Amino acid sequence: MRANDIHITKYDGEQVLYDRHKLVRSLRRSGADKAYIEQILPQIECKIFDGITSKKLHQIAFRVLKKSKRKEAAAKYNLKAGIMMLGPSGYPFEMFVGKLLEHRNYKVKVGQVCEGKYVNHEVDVVAENRKECILVECKYRNKSTEKVSVQVPMYIRSRFEDIEIKWQEQSQYRDKIFRGWIVTNTKFSEDAEAYGKGVGLRLIGWAYPQHQSLQYLIEKYHLYP
């Protein structure tokens, strides 16, 4: 069977035609050069079959990269799967997000109970430097198809505002800029993204926003799980 006749079954069950160019792009993003990709493509394509899942195709490509001893390229290619393996609980993901902020020179605390103006709140990550205080809510999902809905940033905003009001009464926080973040390993709904932009919450998803996404930050700081 020709590669052009092969259908790939996506995570949501939809079937699409195999796209060699898409596979090449993903291999390029892992750091593999053009000559090496041309070398390993036949090794990957000879193992795929009609109806193969996108997950299985990913595993095949990863094994070929790993076998080649190009460890950094293999790590980059398998990055999303590696993040999904942090589950099933959300705590390892919170620790991971904390490490990302530490690499940006913030002092980080994970799993904090923070006093608000009216009630106490559990905050996944609190990060501070001389100018800023960042309150982070981590939303870990065990399925890559699950999206964070608009109700999440609407609820989180009210919690963060309650903490900000209380903390700005204290001298050590009075001159600091407060920022609220929500970080997920999957995606946000369109309404969630629009709401976050509108109210000034920073939303970070796997591929959102384009140049400050979770994937981008992991690769920038080489913090592969």
Side-chain angles (χ1 to χ4, degrees):
M1 181 177 288
R2 296 180 305 169
N4 290 342
D5 297 327
I6 290 175
H7 290 81
I8 306 297
T9 305
K10 298 169 65 177
Y11 285 97
D12 60 4
E14 179 188 1
Q15 288 203 332
V16 296
L17 281 172
Y18 166 68
D19 185 345
R20 174 181 285 178
H21 298 295
K22 187 174 181 180
L23 176 59
V24 169
R25 286 196 299 271
S26 68
L27 291 168
R28 287 295 299 272
R29 285 197 299 269
S30 75
D33 57 44
K34 183 179 179 180
Y36 181 68
I37 291 172
E38 290 177 355
Q39 177 187 333
I40 65 173
L41 264 178
Q43 299 176 46
I44 298 171
E45 291 185 334
C46 72
K47 293 180 172 66
I48 65 177
F49 51 87
D50 191 40
I52 188 174
T53 64
S54 55
K55 181 179 179 180
K56 182 66 175 178
L57 174 57
H58 175 94
Q59 290 172 342
I60 291 170
F62 171 66
R63 282 198 293 268
V64 171
L65 280 171
K66 190 176 181 181
K67 190 176 180 180
S68 72
K69 297 182 179 179
R70 300 198 176 196
K71 294 182 179 179
E72 185 171 350
K76 284 185 177 182
Y77 189 81
N78 205 39
L79 181 55
K80 190 171 186 178
I83 291 294
M84 297 303 294
M85 291 176 188
L86 289 175
S89 76
Y91 184 70
F93 184 62
E94 295 166 16
M95 294 291 293
F96 188 77
V97 171
K99 290 296 181 183
L100 284 174
L101 283 160
E102 284 180 354
H103 274 71
R104 301 184 71 168
N105 298 315
Y106 287 91
K107 293 181 179 179
V108 172
K109 294 180 181 179
V110 177
Q112 298 296 294
V113 176
C114 299
E115 185 180 4
K117 177 70 173 179
Y118 303 106
V119 294
N120 292 338
H121 305 271
E122 292 184 6
V123 178
D124 295 331
V125 182
V126 178
E128 294 183 58
N129 62 17
R130 189 170 54 87
K131 296 181 179 180
E132 289 183 315
C133 181
I134 300 175
L135 305 175
V136 186
E137 178 77 9
C138 298
K139 289 298 177 185
Y140 182 80
R141 297 291 187 255
N142 287 295
K143 294 182 179 179
S144 61
T145 54
E146 294 181 10
K147 292 184 178 182
V148 177
S149 69
V150 68
Q151 285 79 12
V152 173
M154 292 175 71
Y155 171 61
I156 296 304
R157 183 197 182 202
S158 64
R159 294 179 57 218
F160 286 174
E161 285 183 342
D162 189 43
I163 296 169
E164 180 180 356
I165 292 169
K166 179 65 177 180
W167 284 20
Q168 285 188 332
E169 295 174 354
Q170 304 173 40
S171 58
Q172 66 266 38
Y173 295 110
R174 196 165 295 148
D175 296 325
K176 287 193 175 185
I177 299 170
F178 278 76
R179 303 193 190 280
W181 289 18
I182 302 175
V183 183
T184 184
N185 61 316
T186 58
K187 298 179 179 179
F188 295 95
S189 70
E190 291 184 5
D191 285 347
E193 291 175 3
Y195 182 81
K197 287 179 181 178
V199 300
L201 273 176
R202 183 170 181 183
L203 272 53
I204 298 176
W206 175 250
Y208 177 86
Q210 185 176 2
H211 297 297
Q212 285 294 318
S213 67
L214 182 60
Q215 181 181 10
Y216 175 89
L217 294 173
I218 291 170
E219 292 179 349
K220 179 179 180 180
Y221 298 113
H222 301 281
L223 283 176
Y224 302 109

